[in-house]
Amino acid sequence: MDERLFGTNGVRGVINQDLSAQLSMDLGKAIGTCMKGNVAIGNDPRTSADMIKSAVAAGIMSSGANVIDLGMVPTPVVQHYVKSNGIAGGVMITASHNPPEFNGIKCIDADGTEMPRQKEEEIERSYYKKSFSNMSWDQVGSMYPRSGAIDAYLSSIIKLVDVQAIKNAELKVVLDCANGASTVSSPRLLKDLGVRAITLNGNPMGTFPGHPSEPTEDHLKDLIATVKETGADLGIAHDGDADRTIFIDNKGHYLYGDKSLAIVASEMVKENNGGTVVTPVSSSNCVEDVVTAEGGKIVYTKVGAPVVSRKMIEIGAVFGGEENGGLIFPKHQYCRDGAMTAAKMLEIVSKQGPLSDLVEKLPRYSQDKRKTVCPNDLKNSVLSYLVKQYEKEEVNTIDGVKICYSDGWTLVRPSGTEPLFRIYSEAKTELEAKERSDECEKVLAEAIRKYLK
């Protein structure tokens, strides 16, 4: 790993290659030194979870802080515990949707949000300089196992949805826990909501034997088939640490996250008689269309859940989220929450009818996604060139360069880890989206050739 440890979702790597016990313990020392107080810790069921959690916890305790061990829980459970109990912060041991050989260390701020970059930088400085608070033998911290975090978390969710309406609908649901952290929470949630649930991959296993933990369409074939075979009202799929939810409608169709984001955003604006929804620049126009139709307003941010949640706090937004199934409900907590998302969608379907009908009412857009190689040292110059080439259009530079048209957009974002640009285009038809990407790719190629000389 280089001088920057934290990526967009914590420190991640392959176990005993990128992420070792020694690195984890030293990072724990830095976390304890910087957080200066009790730290909650949880983990998903990866096979390396005990090793990494023990190392991080040992480092935190050596700095004099106590560790509150919540056990195997979803990421939003740790966030909810931190927010609700007034402690210094939290750590989640997870690599979310990455393959089982990976694990990660994600830091949580005192308000339950994902840690902002400036605080991560403070931890990184402590880590690299080895400037740790190494306490004497009689001042080191202790570890305290804590039960009840899941109960409090689920109680918070249940208070925010119409439980009676869900029970009256007598819904049948297929739930795919991906052998991940949701196995200890989502089945209980569905039971409390009076939903008849058929559960797939409901036992926690760190090798993810049912399917890889990323809830893509290819990985959810069993879920899709079971929804069709059983005539279920919908399918629910979580990723490994259960901060995201993807849905299958009653006809067995996979819903990309922009559709569930739009459906829930429309409902949240309606419930609040307006208000602002925050989402990254990469989100589909269908989200803005439904929000404005209900009298709401949309605010765009850089890509990343921490950026979205902090903008929501800043402006008092009623809802926010990303197109990957990570939705944020401010009355519950300012972070992506898979179980809250599932509960809200169950309420919406209970009151408004089949999920397939709700999808059918959404504005239709097509997307084209691709990437093109560009040397890292040319990226800024190439983006500036792109802005000049499209100066006659509305151009947004919040995150990369987004060229806005009346019926869609093209977004060019530089990869933070690879020498390439990612190109996303959206239009009313597949052909238009492809043509916009083709055109933009040509302009990028011209710029790269120019600056390579």
Side-chain angles (χ1 to χ4, degrees):
M1 293 187 176
D2 57 23
E3 287 296 302
R4 174 167 177 165
L5 270 179
F6 288 91
T8 53
N9 277 288
V11 179
R12 290 189 191 176
V14 175
I15 291 301
N16 285 338
Q17 292 182 29
D18 309 306
L19 190 60
S20 66
Q22 185 64 57
L23 184 154
S24 302
M25 186 167 67
D26 286 347
L27 186 54
K29 291 178 180 179
I31 291 168
T33 299
C34 295
M35 284 192 180
K36 297 181 176 65
N38 292 346
V39 179
I41 193 166
N43 60 275
D44 70 17
R46 290 169 185 269
T47 55
S48 58
D50 287 345
M51 181 187 96
I52 300 300
K53 181 164 76 171
S54 298
V56 172
I60 292 171
M61 288 185 285
S62 76
S63 74
N66 292 323
V67 174
I68 302 167
D69 184 7
L70 304 181
M72 193 195 74
V73 293
T75 294
V77 170
V78 180
Q79 293 173 294
H80 185 266
Y81 184 90
V82 170
K83 179 202 76 165
S84 303
N85 288 277
I87 59 177
V91 177
M92 180 68 185
I93 309 301
T94 181
S96 185
H97 60 273
N98 286 118
E101 63 270 24
F102 283 77
N103 213 330
I105 302 165
K106 177 189 274 189
C107 291
I108 297 162
D109 208 2
D111 61 359
T113 61
E114 293 180 48
M115 185 160 281
R117 180 60 194 151
Q118 64 266 28
K119 290 190 177 182
E120 288 180 343
E121 288 172 348
E122 183 184 350
I123 293 171
E124 285 172 342
R125 284 192 293 271
S126 175
Y127 172 85
Y128 284 115
K129 292 179 180 178
K130 306 299 181 190
S131 55
F132 307 136
S133 298
N134 290 309
M135 307 305 290
S136 63
W137 68 271
D138 57 343
Q139 292 185 324
V140 298
S142 298
M143 180 179 273
Y144 299 97
R146 184 77 78 244
S147 60
I150 295 173
D151 295 334
Y153 165 74
L154 294 180
S155 177
S156 174
I157 293 172
I158 288 169
K159 289 175 183 175
L160 293 172
V161 295
D162 189 337
V163 177
Q164 197 57 52
I166 297 171
K167 288 182 175 179
N168 291 344
E170 298 182 344
L171 298 175
K172 179 164 65 176
V173 170
V174 185
L175 169 67
D176 189 340
C177 295
N179 302 115
S182 66
T183 55
V184 298
S185 53
S186 286
R188 289 173 55 184
L189 174 65
L190 297 187
K191 178 177 178 295
D192 291 344
L193 293 174
V195 173
R196 181 187 170 196
I198 301 165
T199 304
L200 305 180
N201 305 310
N203 53 328
M205 295 185 72
T207 56
F208 305 127
H211 61 74
S213 59
E214 173 75 354
T216 63
E217 187 171 5
D218 283 346
H219 296 164
L220 299 181
K221 290 177 181 178
D222 289 345
L223 175 60
I224 293 168
T226 306
V227 169
K228 291 178 178 178
E229 289 167 6
T230 61
D233 294 288
L234 70 158
I236 297 171
H238 295 303
D239 61 340
D241 67 331
D243 63 353
R244 296 189 289 132
T245 298
I246 289 292
F247 296 97
I248 310 300
D249 74 13
N250 49 296
K251 295 182 179 180
H253 297 141
Y254 179 94
L255 264 65
Y256 288 95
D258 58 345
K259 290 182 170 57
S260 53
L261 174 61
I263 290 169
V264 179
S266 174
E267 179 62 22
M268 296 304 293
V269 172
K270 191 185 305 180
E271 287 181 8
N272 286 277
N273 297 312
T276 302
V277 172
V278 180
T279 196
V281 290
S282 55
S283 288
S284 170
N285 271 11
C286 77
V287 179
E288 181 170 352
D289 290 350
V290 299
V291 166
T292 54
E294 293 295 341
K297 178 185 174 185
I298 200 97
V299 169
Y300 290 106
T301 67
K302 287 186 175 183
V303 173
V307 183
V308 174
S309 62
R310 292 188 185 283
K311 176 58 73 171
M312 290 175 67
I313 294 169
E314 177 190 329
I315 65 176
V318 299
F319 180 66
E322 302 173 295
E323 75 280 6
N324 60 6
L327 309 189
I328 303 170
F329 299 81
K331 290 182 180 178
H332 177 49
Q333 56 180 345
Y334 284 98
C335 64
R336 299 183 300 189
D337 196 308
M340 182 69 231
T341 300
K344 192 63 187 180
M345 187 64 84
L346 288 168
E347 180 195 75
I348 293 169
V349 169
S350 297
K351 292 182 174 182
Q352 298 185 27
L355 186 52
S356 60
D357 290 355
L358 300 179
V359 173
E360 195 65 31
K361 294 174 184 176
L362 293 175
R364 296 283 185 88
Y365 289 94
S366 294
Q367 291 191 347
D368 179 88
K369 299 181 181 181
R370 62 182 73 178
K371 54 190 177 184
T372 190
V373 174
C374 176
N376 288 326
D377 60 343
L378 298 185
K379 285 178 178 177
N380 288 337
S381 297
V382 170
L383 288 175
S384 297
Y385 181 91
L386 192 64
V387 170
K388 290 179 181 177
Q389 291 299 112
Y390 285 94
E391 60 186 0
K392 293 182 180 179
E393 307 290 348
E394 179 187 344
V395 176
N396 182 317
T397 56
I398 291 174
D399 193 352
V401 174
K402 185 176 183 180
I403 305 141
C404 303
Y405 303 100
S406 60
D407 61 348
W409 45 264
T410 295
L411 173 65
V412 178
R413 291 185 66 241
S415 168
T417 57
E418 300 174 87
L420 55 84
F421 284 116
R422 302 189 190 280
I423 306 170
Y424 311 85
S425 290
E426 180 172 271
K428 284 293 187 180
T429 67
E430 287 185 21
L431 179 59
E432 287 175 304
K434 182 179 180 299
E435 287 175 344
R436 284 175 180 166
S437 290
D438 288 343
E439 178 191 321
C440 187
E441 197 169 22
K442 287 179 183 177
V443 175
L444 288 173
E446 290 170 6
I448 292 166
R449 282 196 299 270
K450 173 183 177 181
Y451 293 110
L452 276 174
K453 292 179 181 178

